[in-house]
Amino acid sequence: MAASRGGSEGPAEGRYGEDLFEPERAGEAARIDAAALVYDPVTTRRLRALGVGPGLRCLEVGAGTGTVARWLVEEAGVEEVVALDRDTGALAGLAGPRLRVVVADLTDERVRPGSFDLIHARFVLMHLAERRRIVSRLAGWLNPGGWLVLGDAVELPDVLDASSAYRRTMDAMWQALWATIGTDISGVPAYPHVLREEGLRDVGAELHCPPLAAGEPLARFWSETWSRMRPELVATGRVDDEVVDEALAYLASPRLAELGPGMAMAWGRRPPG
Ligand SMILES: C[S@@+](CC[C@H](N)C(=O)[O-])C[C@H]1O[C@@H](n2cnc3c(N)ncnc32)[C@H](O)[C@@H]1O
């Protein structure tokens, strides 16, 4: 892990949902939904291509507002979905005969939700310092033939741009996330290798990096994220309020033209018994 990411001295002590992105804060579910709107079609297309459909038992890890869990039940027609999250407030209305909502902290080693034919985690592991051990535990919950599908953020920054307000704010964000809750995306490109290390087969991966455009859901997502994190961004010393304001104005302007951070997905399956 990049212990020196952004100059921080060591692993952060804060937690997602406690020290950043508190679920009870107004607008948090809408922030998560803005990203889900963009990535759900990518995720569900991949799950379909992996053969996800009727008869499967699925675990949706860090289910958020439940958009993927709902798709699994309503569109893919799977047998059962367990939607697990440390905070299930946004999932409350979704529980039903084929969708079980479980409140659990993934970092708690005592958590054992059962065994599954599909385990999917999107934009969750990157936020958890224990991510490597958690991948081992997730792989251990797979039925023979079952798929583990991981999706997390990646970024292809414009290396020639070191000084724009957009770039400085984005860099400050990654540093602040690392320093506050231990978020780290440096290991995401290694996910295919990690899945292979876990003994999974038929490993594959894909990358989706949508461009940012003003008024679109992803520009709203980053705008909300930066607004929420303003104190942490400024605390990095990389930006001040003026730079953050300029970056936010750029996200909302017709001049906006950036290849924003995207999502890498990697998958692998436990060999059939
Ligand atoms: C960025 S959101 C992603 C939500 C959803 N997977 C999606 O892609 O729309 C991260 C989710 O992981 C959950 N989460 C964070 N840390 C967790 C933990 N230690 N155990 C269980 N869930 C956690 C959060 O509560 C939140 O719902």
Side-chain angles (χ1 to χ4, degrees):
M1 192 193 316
S4 61
R5 173 175 265 287
S8 179
E9 287 300 315
E13 287 176 1
R15 310 289 302 167
Y16 188 108
E18 293 172 18
D19 301 277
L20 263 182
F21 309 133
E22 301 86 338
E24 61 278 6
R25 190 162 159 184
E28 179 57 13
R31 189 185 72 89
I32 290 178
D33 274 344
L37 256 180
V38 175
Y39 291 110
D40 278 1
V42 180
T43 300
T44 57
R45 196 163 52 238
R46 176 52 51 191
L47 295 181
R48 279 240 190 262
L50 295 176
V52 171
L56 300 194
R57 268 201 95 227
C58 307
L59 176 65
E60 176 64 8
V61 174
T65 59
T67 57
V68 174
R70 207 168 52 223
W71 177 85
L72 285 166
V73 171
E74 293 175 4
E75 305 287 329
V78 303
E79 185 176 311
E80 191 196 19
V81 177
V82 174
L84 180 151
D85 205 293
R86 65 181 299 286
D87 183 276
T88 55
L91 298 168
L94 295 186
R98 287 160 54 220
L99 202 163
R100 191 152 60 89
V101 174
V102 171
V103 190
D105 187 326
L106 202 53
T107 63
D108 179 347
E109 306 240 342
R110 293 164 304 179
V111 170
R112 290 196 177 89
S115 62
F116 301 91
D117 307 302
L118 167 73
I119 300 177
H120 172 245
R122 187 178 70 186
F123 300 136
V124 182
L125 298 183
M126 58 186 263
H127 293 301
L128 302 177
E130 307 84 347
R131 60 191 71 81
R132 184 61 190 85
R133 284 177 64 77
I134 294 174
V135 173
S136 289
R137 286 172 55 230
L138 296 179
W141 299 340
L142 286 174
N143 288 330
W147 289 103
L148 176 56
V149 181
L150 307 177
D152 262 324
V154 284
E155 200 188 6
L156 297 170
D158 172 4
V159 292
L160 298 180
D161 172 15
S163 62
S164 73
Y166 169 85
R167 187 68 258 153
R168 290 172 63 193
T169 306
M170 192 65 93
D171 287 347
M173 180 196 74
W174 294 122
Q175 181 179 335
L177 281 171
W178 160 255
T180 312
I181 58 174
T183 302
D184 187 359
I185 63 168
S186 63
V188 175
Y191 279 179
H193 182 70
V194 166
L195 294 175
R196 197 67 183 74
E197 276 178 357
E198 289 302 325
L200 304 188
R201 298 288 185 270
D202 302 323
V203 170
E206 70 174 305
L207 187 62
H208 188 74
C209 272
L212 291 179
E216 298 286 327
L218 269 187
R220 283 206 312 277
F221 172 82
W222 291 116
S223 178
E224 272 299 312
T225 302
W226 291 350
S227 299
R228 246 149 241 267
M229 291 183 66
R230 183 187 283 267
E232 289 83 9
L233 296 177
V234 172
T236 64
R238 286 176 175 245
V239 291
D240 56 19
D241 277 311
E242 208 175 315
V243 173
V244 177
D245 284 340
E246 190 184 334
L248 289 170
Y250 178 55
L251 282 183
S253 97
R255 290 180 295 112
L256 176 63
E258 302 288 341
L259 185 64
M263 175 174 72
M265 283 182 89
W267 55 87
R269 81 153 102 195
R270 174 167 298 291

